[in-house]
Amino acid sequence: MTWKSRGGIESASHKSFMSKKWTLLLCIGCFCAGMLFSDRMWTVPEVRDVSRGAGFEDEKLKLVSEGSLDKTISNLEMELAAARATQESIINGSPLSDNLKINELKGKRKYLMVVGINSAFSSRKRRDSVRATWMPQGDKRKKLEEEKGIVMRFVIGHSATSGGILDRAIEAEDKKHGDFLRLVELLSFPEHVEGYLELSAKTKIFFATAVALWDADFYVKVDDDVHVNIATLGATLARHRSKPRVYIGCMKSGPVLAQKGVRYHEPEYWKFGEEGNKYFRHATGQLYAISKDLASYISINQHVLHKFANEDVSLGSWFIGLDAEHIDDRRLCCGTPPDCEWKAQAGNVCVASFDWSCSGICRSAERMKEVHRRCGEGENALWSAAF
């Protein structure tokens, strides 16, 4: 090999070595530049910030859910009632009553209580005595509904001869006072024909109708010969607002009367066991209150709820198998003066007063004003009350 060719080989080797060296340096430079660029453009957020953001969203979702839960349930209940009414109307081939359209079931305001005052065609003087004492009239009654959330109506059905003289008399009275709830054919609720032996049916239809017309916390039934302190009743019920299924009244357990011809005879006495047995605990019929869930239960199941001869027994039987709380409050069954008067003077104002011997105030049309004067809570108590 000549010196010339040796020199050529050495020169080529030197160039190849330099080329590899620059290639390696260039690769290292590109790698570092890539790492710097990636670090600036794809910075990973701190775990602490992500966790805190997720927690905030969870809390926000929780608050929204809790705040809208009650409203959602209420809306679903009303839509269910509307759907059931529409279905039954189609099945029965009858149009919905003009007295209540389906869209009126939605968007209703909330009331504290609906008070249904049970009355009869022959009880005009009793009704007038109630209007003159513990039931506000005219604009005051409207104010009571708007400001206090308390609805009050006399409850009555129709006579056996619908449209007859008795019905026309009630229509004229209602035109004058506007304080009746007529139990006419409404949605899927049958028209009620008045009669003492039909009180269980009347009670059932009243609760079903009332819960469809008014969205209230409580529904109250009271007889028209009983004195009531409305503010005290409202305050009493308001204390149980948070409870879902409440049945409030003066609880009793009287004997089952098998003998025919006696007052409060029970034709189905054999269902209660041996002769001489007592009824299950139930509220006395002069005044009792039930929460919305129980009123809705009656409305939905009205076609299969059994009616016993006595209305208060029937109501109690409907709740026997339910997880309902029975509240025994003796202020709902005070006696007339001097009993209710002494209690009022002691600061324990009665909710309702009547005479046990008459199952109401004896000669109530004549004595209601006296009972109101001696046992009434005073008009200011109602308008200053905050429920």
Side-chain angles (χ1 to χ4, degrees):
M1 180 180 294
T2 64
W3 285 104
K4 186 175 182 180
S5 56
R6 255 171 87 185
I9 293 171
E10 287 177 358
S11 177
S13 298
H14 180 71
K15 287 181 180 180
S16 175
F17 174 76
M18 292 298 294
S19 176
K20 290 179 180 179
K21 182 177 179 181
W22 282 109
T23 300
L24 179 62
L25 289 175
L26 183 61
C27 288
I28 292 174
C30 290
F31 176 77
C32 292
M35 287 293 292
L36 180 63
F37 177 79
S38 298
D39 187 56
R40 288 186 178 181
M41 294 298 292
W42 301 99
T43 301
V44 179
E46 294 183 13
V47 175
R48 179 182 59 188
D49 294 337
V50 173
S51 176
R52 201 165 79 187
F56 174 77
E57 290 298 326
D58 289 343
E59 288 296 321
K60 184 177 179 182
L61 179 60
K62 183 179 179 182
L63 289 173
V64 172
S65 299
E66 291 178 352
S68 61
L69 181 59
D70 291 339
K71 184 176 180 180
T72 301
I73 292 175
S74 178
N75 289 340
L76 288 173
E77 287 176 346
M78 303 314 293
E79 290 176 9
L80 175 61
R84 290 184 69 254
T86 303
Q87 181 185 31
E88 295 190 16
S89 176
I90 294 172
I91 292 174
N92 296 331
S94 59
L96 295 171
S97 170
D98 290 336
N99 293 330
L100 182 65
K101 302 300 182 183
I102 288 298
N103 56 14
E104 291 178 3
L105 291 171
K106 301 178 181 179
K108 298 186 302 183
R109 66 154 291 177
K110 187 78 172 179
Y111 295 91
L112 169 64
M113 61 182 178
V114 175
V115 181
I117 308 169
N118 183 44
S119 195
F121 290 111
S122 60
S123 299
R124 174 62 187 265
K125 291 183 178 179
R126 285 186 180 182
R127 291 191 291 273
D128 286 341
S129 71
V130 170
R131 292 182 180 115
T133 53
W134 56 269
M135 182 182 185
Q137 291 298 293
D139 292 338
K140 287 185 177 180
R141 184 169 57 82
K142 294 179 181 178
K143 180 181 178 183
L144 185 67
E145 295 181 10
E146 295 170 358
E147 295 186 6
K148 303 300 180 181
I150 299 175
V151 177
M152 300 174 67
R153 297 287 190 276
F154 288 107
V155 180
I156 196 167
H158 279 270
S159 66
T161 55
S162 184
I165 187 171
L166 295 177
D167 291 311
R168 292 199 300 270
I170 291 296
E171 289 167 4
E173 188 179 344
D174 190 27
K175 187 175 181 180
K176 179 180 179 180
H177 297 283
D179 54 7
F180 278 92
L181 172 60
R182 301 298 302 277
L183 299 181
V184 299
E185 187 174 353
L186 186 66
L187 293 181
S188 59
F189 315 140
E191 181 174 299
H192 175 70
V193 178
E194 286 293 318
Y196 181 77
L197 298 179
E198 298 298 326
L199 287 179
S200 292
K202 184 176 183 178
T203 300
K204 186 193 299 185
I205 297 172
F206 160 64
F207 284 125
T209 304
V211 80
L213 290 174
W214 296 286
D215 180 15
D217 292 317
F218 296 96
Y219 299 85
V220 182
K221 178 264 176 181
V222 60
D223 291 336
D224 61 5
D225 56 355
V226 173
H227 179 268
V228 181
N229 284 316
I230 294 298
T232 306
L233 173 61
T236 300
L237 297 182
R239 288 197 291 270
H240 303 288
R241 251 178 174 160
S242 61
K243 302 172 183 177
R245 293 169 297 280
V246 181
Y247 174 33
I248 307 172
C250 286
M251 299 295 164
K252 65 175 185 177
S253 179
V256 180
L257 302 178
Q259 184 180 351
K260 291 183 178 180
V262 300
R263 192 180 186 187
Y264 305 129
H265 165 62
E266 179 56 71
E268 298 180 273
Y269 60 89
W270 60 273
K271 289 185 177 180
F272 298 92
E274 300 301 323
E275 187 173 345
N277 279 358
K278 291 186 175 182
Y279 286 112
F280 41 78
R281 289 282 173 185
H282 61 277
T284 186
Q286 285 81 2
L287 186 150
Y288 47 74
I290 61 176
S291 59
K292 180 182 177 180
D293 282 0
L294 294 183
S296 298
Y297 171 80
I298 293 174
S299 176
I300 294 170
N301 298 284
Q302 58 179 305
H303 303 296
V304 295
L305 294 177
H306 184 69
K307 302 187 296 290
F308 288 100
N310 299 301
E311 156 242 342
D312 52 356
V313 173
S314 293
L315 185 76
S317 72
W318 299 337
F319 304 146
I320 282 292
L322 302 185
D323 185 15
E325 181 177 355
H326 290 52
I327 297 177
D328 182 23
D329 192 332
R330 309 314 290 183
R331 292 180 305 150
L332 274 65
C333 54
C334 295
T336 55
D339 180 51
C340 57
E341 187 175 24
W342 290 340
K343 291 175 179 176
Q345 291 172 353
N348 188 25
V349 178
C350 293
V351 172
S353 303
F354 56 89
D355 299 307
W356 283 104
S357 60
C358 296
S359 297
I361 298 176
C362 299
R363 307 188 317 279
S364 66
E366 304 168 17
R367 297 182 56 225
M368 187 67 76
K369 286 186 178 180
E370 176 202 353
V371 175
H372 186 67
R373 177 177 60 82
R374 298 174 64 178
C375 300
E377 60 196 353
E379 188 175 1
N380 290 335
L382 180 58
W383 301 115
S384 61
F387 303 115

